[in-house]
């Protein structure tokens, strides 16, 4: 049987060389996760769905609540001070998403790797030292960012995918991506990232959200080893 192997396989996890997080040594703050859920139109546009997003927020919050106790260190929920500017947290969440996307594009795909990222074992990415100014992080060692985004392919999109396949034109139906990253509050350095553009688990139901969270936190520094998660399409 013939099998094909891609020339460049995508990596999904990055760890700053030499970084170790021993259990029971750090205080980690879980920032409010960024969650977007909606449909993918026939033309590929994202159409937000408020009901799906609300359900996903509830399911992922519950799944993260269960997972926090098994990460090896104290992981507390972010508490935003009453006088804080809510836009500041949103800006840092967007910055994290942009950095994570850059890591995927320019480091996790070896074929696209930037000349400055070619050295073996290199992982140098940062949100900037000013992250320490984010209200609510006083006394924290690390900030844990979590992002999930799901575009469920519409019927029209799936039909288009079938006809496009007949014409040998690549068309995807559905987007299911997720990033989880640990940032050193003192320096702003991204010390660990787990990022995948094809995440599993339908976040609209509790079981699917638990699978998504397990995938997001695979390889978390200091976390006791657990059973590997099988990646399956969230569209099914």
């Amino acid at each position: 049987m013939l099998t094909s192997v891609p020339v460049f396989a995508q990596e999904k996890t990055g760890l700053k060389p030499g970084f170790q997080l021993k259990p029971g040594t750090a205080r980690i703050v879980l920032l409010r996760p960024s969650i977007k859920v909606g449909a993918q139109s026939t033309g590929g546009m994202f159409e937000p769905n408020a009901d799906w997003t609300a359900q996903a927020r509830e399911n992922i919050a519950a799944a993260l609540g269960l997972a926090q106790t098994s990460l090896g260190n104290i992981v507390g929920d972010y508490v935003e001070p009453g006088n804080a500017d809510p836009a500041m947290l949103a800006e840092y969440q967007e910055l994290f998403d942009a950095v994570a996307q850059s890591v995927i594009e320019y480091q996790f795909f070896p074929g696209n790797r930037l000349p400055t990222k070619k050295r073996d074992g290199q992982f140098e990415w940062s949100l900037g030292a000013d992250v320490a100014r984010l209200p609510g992080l006083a006394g924290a060692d690390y900030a844990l960012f979590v992002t999930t985004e799901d575009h469920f392919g519409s019927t029209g999109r799936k039909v288009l995918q079938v006809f496009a396949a007949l014409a040998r034109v690549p068309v995807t139906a559905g987007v299911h991506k997720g990033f989880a990253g640990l940032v050193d509050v003192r320096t702003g350095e991204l010390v660990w990232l787990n990022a995948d553009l094809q995440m599993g688990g339908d976040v609209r139901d509790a079981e699917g959200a638990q699978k998504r969270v397990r995938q997001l936190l695979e390889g978390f520094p200091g976390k006791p080893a657990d059973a590997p998660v099988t990646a399956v399409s969230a569209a099914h």
Side-chain angles (χ1 to χ4, degrees):
M1 181 177 68
L2 296 176
T3 59
S4 61
V5 178
V7 176
F8 296 118
Q10 182 197 345
E11 300 168 4
K12 298 179 181 178
T13 301
L15 182 71
K16 181 184 174 183
F19 175 74
Q20 292 183 334
L21 186 59
K22 295 180 180 178
T25 62
R27 179 172 177 264
I28 301 169
V29 172
L30 171 62
L31 297 177
R32 191 178 305 131
S34 173
I35 300 169
K36 297 178 182 176
V37 188
Q40 185 183 42
S41 69
T42 302
M45 299 295 291
F46 176 57
E47 298 174 341
N49 185 302
D51 291 338
W52 289 353
T53 300
Q55 190 63 57
R57 288 187 186 282
E58 182 177 331
N59 292 333
I60 288 181
L64 283 170
L66 292 173
Q68 283 172 235
T69 60
S70 62
L71 293 180
N73 276 283
I74 297 174
V75 182
D77 291 328
Y78 178 69
V79 178
E80 190 171 48
N83 60 348
D85 179 3
M88 192 172 181
L89 177 60
E91 289 172 359
Y92 268 100
Q93 184 68 58
E94 291 179 2
L95 176 59
F96 167 72
D97 290 350
V99 171
Q101 193 67 50
S102 294
V103 175
I104 292 173
E105 185 167 358
Y106 298 117
Q107 179 146 11
F108 284 178
F109 280 109
N112 293 343
R113 192 161 290 172
L114 292 172
T116 54
K117 307 295 183 186
K118 285 184 179 297
R119 293 199 301 271
D120 289 342
Q122 181 163 339
F123 189 78
E124 295 181 359
W125 299 89
S126 176
L127 271 63
D130 283 350
V131 73
R133 297 174 53 236
L134 190 61
L137 292 186
D141 298 300
Y142 300 96
L144 176 58
F145 287 80
V146 172
T147 294
T148 68
E149 184 169 334
D150 292 84
H151 308 182
F152 289 88
S154 63
T155 300
R157 184 69 178 178
K158 292 175 181 176
V159 170
L160 174 63
Q161 185 183 33
V162 171
F163 282 102
L166 294 175
R168 298 187 177 182
V169 176
V171 171
T172 60
V175 173
H176 305 282
K177 64 182 180 181
F179 316 140
L182 195 63
V183 174
D184 188 325
V185 172
R186 293 161 298 185
T187 64
E189 290 178 304
L190 181 64
V191 295
W192 170 80
L193 177 70
N194 192 16
D196 194 345
L197 299 179
Q198 294 180 314
M199 283 248 152
D202 187 338
V203 296
R204 297 171 298 182
D205 64 60
E207 185 177 350
Q210 289 174 15
K211 177 178 286 186
R212 175 68 58 90
V213 167
R214 287 198 301 273
Q215 278 190 269
L216 284 166
L217 298 177
E218 273 191 317
F220 188 84
K223 177 179 177 242
D226 54 11
V229 178
T230 301
V232 295
S233 170
H236 299 290

